[in-house]
Amino acid sequence: MHEVANPYSCENCPLQSRPGLRPLEPQQLAYMGEFKEGEIALEGGESLLEQGEEGNRLYTLIEGVLIRFRTLDDGRRQIVSFMFPGDLSGLQGAFDEPASHSVEALTNARLCTFKRRDFIELISQHPRLGYDITWLAAKEERLLEDHIVALGQRSARERVTYLAVWLVDRALETGLAARDNVLHLPIKQAQIADMLGLSLVHTNRTIRQLEREGLVIWKSREICVPDMDAACKVAQFDRDDNSLRPFI
């Protein structure tokens, strides 16, 4: 992890032009320019947060993809979610709680940093931004609910299909995937297994089955969902409407 020497100005932030994100208004941009502390860059595999760490920053992901996970005492890992541009990290630290999870860069990544102690001021000075943060937290809660349902009720075939369509859908929203539903992302089968609570053998067998069916083509550095409607039906996945996601 290192500090970025020439950070973006808020007016030139690449998130402003992401297809699934709602641009900040001029007065919000002016405030965020003062609120922003700087930027950091991570290489793939580097850690942003460590489980149990007392953080003093909030982060908005500008570029790249992160994974969020919890580790048990014996080393077993549960991936909880994947984070895309516009997503907020470190919110627990804003409420004086240590991180209950770790965050690691899946690809090279770049993030805005904000001082935790300024969080209350942001809420009081710009209630709309405070509402947006609450919205993001509620969205994260819904994602975790969906994940619990996937682990508890979906078959392996449904779980893997669900993860693929969710990743491609988020990538389309944030401009990381082309309209041919192809996402270039270096996800290992072990990481898929860690996310979905499956053995590595079962994961591999399921991926091969989905490829034969033409539902999901999952390579080492690429995910393709040829027919999103058919895959969503198998996974019982409801795609988001056309509403834009906020960010700070």
Side-chain angles (χ1 to χ4, degrees), residues 19-184:
L21 300 180
R22 188 184 72 224
L24 292 174
E25 299 172 358
Q27 66 272 24
Q28 294 172 331
L29 284 172
Y31 177 77
M32 292 309 298
E34 299 174 2
F35 184 66
K36 176 177 176 176
E37 179 186 32
E39 292 177 15
I40 60 170
L42 298 172
E43 294 185 1
E46 280 194 281
S47 294
L48 174 68
L49 295 174
E50 295 286 351
Q51 187 172 317
E53 180 181 37
E54 297 278 355
N56 58 7
R57 285 172 161 181
L58 295 173
Y59 306 90
T60 293
L61 182 58
I62 305 174
E63 299 169 354
V65 178
L66 310 177
I67 55 172
R68 174 182 164 191
F69 60 93
R70 293 192 67 170
T71 305
L72 300 181
D73 291 342
D74 60 5
R76 286 176 293 169
R77 183 173 74 164
Q78 175 67 56
I79 294 179
V80 177
S81 65
F82 291 76
M83 304 179 69
F84 284 82
D87 285 351
L88 185 66
S89 184
L91 190 59
Q92 285 173 303
F95 295 102
D96 299 319
E97 295 286 340
S100 63
H101 55 268
S102 299
V103 177
E104 180 181 292
L106 184 62
T107 67
N108 291 347
R110 184 166 173 168
L111 303 97
C112 274
T113 65
F114 312 103
K115 293 179 181 177
R116 184 182 71 179
R117 65 173 181 265
D118 295 338
F119 180 75
I120 295 176
E121 179 187 331
L122 181 148
I123 300 295
S124 62
Q125 295 292 326
H126 283 270
R128 177 65 202 192
L129 291 176
Y131 175 87
D132 289 344
I133 291 172
T134 304
W135 188 95
L136 290 170
K139 199 73 171 179
E140 183 69 18
E141 182 178 358
R142 179 182 172 183
L143 170 63
L144 294 176
E145 288 176 355
D146 290 341
H147 185 43
I148 290 171
V149 171
L151 293 176
Q153 299 300 324
R154 288 186 171 93
S155 66
R157 176 173 176 264
E158 291 169 336
R159 289 185 209 180
V160 175
T161 306
Y162 180 89
L163 179 58
V165 295
W166 181 81
L167 287 169
V168 171
D169 193 54
R170 284 301 319 275
L172 288 169
E173 287 179 352
T174 51
L176 295 185
R179 290 297 163 185
D180 55 3
N181 300 331
V182 174
L183 168 61
H184 298 284

Side-chain angles (χ1 to χ4, degrees), residues 77-80 147 189-198:
R77 183 173 74 164
Q78 175 67 56
I79 294 179
V80 177
H147 185 43
Q189 288 193 14
Q191 292 170 320
I192 300 171
D194 285 346
M195 178 75 173
L196 300 178
L198 300 171

